[in-house]
Amino acid sequence: MEYIARDADIAPVAALIADPTRAAMLTALLDGRALAAGELARVAGVSAATASAHLSRLLDGRLVDVVRQGRHRYYRLAGHDVAEVLEVLARVSARPPVRSLRQSRQARLLEEARTCYDHLAGRAGVSLLDQLRDGGYYAAQDLTDEGERLLGGLGVDVAGARRSRRRFAPECLDWTERRSHLGGALGAAITGVLLERDWYRRGKVPRAVVLTDEGREGLSALFSRKELTSGTPVT
């Protein structure tokens, strides 16, 4: 039997992600932060020993990295490439049924505004890209001269984002909105500034971020034609 040549052996990676416990852990890490094994065990609903075994496999498969602080170990996604794979899988997967008021609230918060690894997603992320495009600041997956000035004035290191080895400003199809938000190095740089300025603040629900009053005012001033709320422009 003759085997067909393949560009890459995706089966081992797919098998690692396919396990429900490991999938839950990887999804929990999609907000870009490092979490302890105990936190990941609680998220996945397994014992500490079971979580440790799964994390060992994810480390061997280079899907997560470990960060050591003294005697403590924290786990994070191995990089934005892993996050992109998980987001693509989320887009083609069925959404789990909502069975409680708490789950309904969590789903609503994630739909409104969340981080997609290191950039803004949900209605807020889609609306941000719309603002940049409609204002003439972004076109053909790049910034215009006006866009460079606008974001530079906000404190975004545009030049540093351009030097990054990842794509500069690609459009990323949002898995809840089915429309594009801004990804890549530029999306990460903008989101970093929004969090540093406390215009968006991390919420209690993992991955969710919340627009602050200061952020509402700041974004309204930045995009003077229409205000950016937690995802929906005010008309």
Side-chain angles (χ1 to χ4, degrees), residues 38-181:
E39 294 174 288
L40 292 170
R42 286 191 293 274
V43 166
V46 297
S47 68
T50 300
S52 179
H54 282 294
L55 287 168
S56 178
R57 294 193 62 181
L58 290 173
L59 278 168
D60 290 342
R62 294 184 293 181
L63 293 182
V64 300
D65 290 330
V66 64
V67 180
R68 292 177 173 83
Q69 290 185 357
R71 295 180 299 171
H72 301 287
R73 291 159 57 95
Y74 298 91
Y75 297 86
R76 64 186 180 191
L77 293 184
H80 61 86
D81 289 341
V82 178
E84 289 177 8
V85 170
L86 296 174
E87 284 287 328
V88 170
L89 288 173
R91 291 201 296 267
V92 300
S93 301
R95 300 185 67 177
V98 174
R99 303 185 185 278
S100 69
L101 183 61
R102 180 183 179 185
Q103 289 179 341
S104 176
R105 178 178 177 274
Q106 290 176 340
R108 177 176 57 80
L109 289 173
L110 290 174
E111 289 170 358
E112 286 178 358
R114 66 181 185 276
T115 49
C116 173
Y117 187 54
D118 58 4
H119 54 271
L120 190 63
R123 282 191 289 272
V126 169
S127 187
L128 176 62
L129 179 58
D130 285 345
Q131 296 276 6
L132 290 170
R133 186 187 291 113
D134 295 346
Y137 306 115
Y138 174 89
Q141 300 195 18
D142 201 355
L143 288 176
T144 62
D145 291 342
E146 292 82 359
E148 296 252 4
R149 288 192 291 271
L150 178 83
L151 295 181
L154 184 63
V156 177
D157 184 3
V158 177
R162 287 193 183 281
R163 291 193 299 270
S164 172
R165 288 186 291 180
R166 64 193 290 191
R167 289 183 296 168
F168 174 61
E171 295 184 17
C172 178
L173 184 63
D174 195 279
W175 68 269
T176 56
E177 294 301 295
R178 305 295 173 174
R179 295 177 57 217
S180 294
H181 59 247

Side-chain angles (χ1 to χ4, degrees), residues 196-210:
E196 288 170 7
R197 284 176 170 261
D198 200 38
W199 287 13
Y200 275 95
R201 188 178 298 162
R202 294 192 184 276
K204 295 181 180 179
V205 175
R207 300 182 63 197
V209 291
V210 179

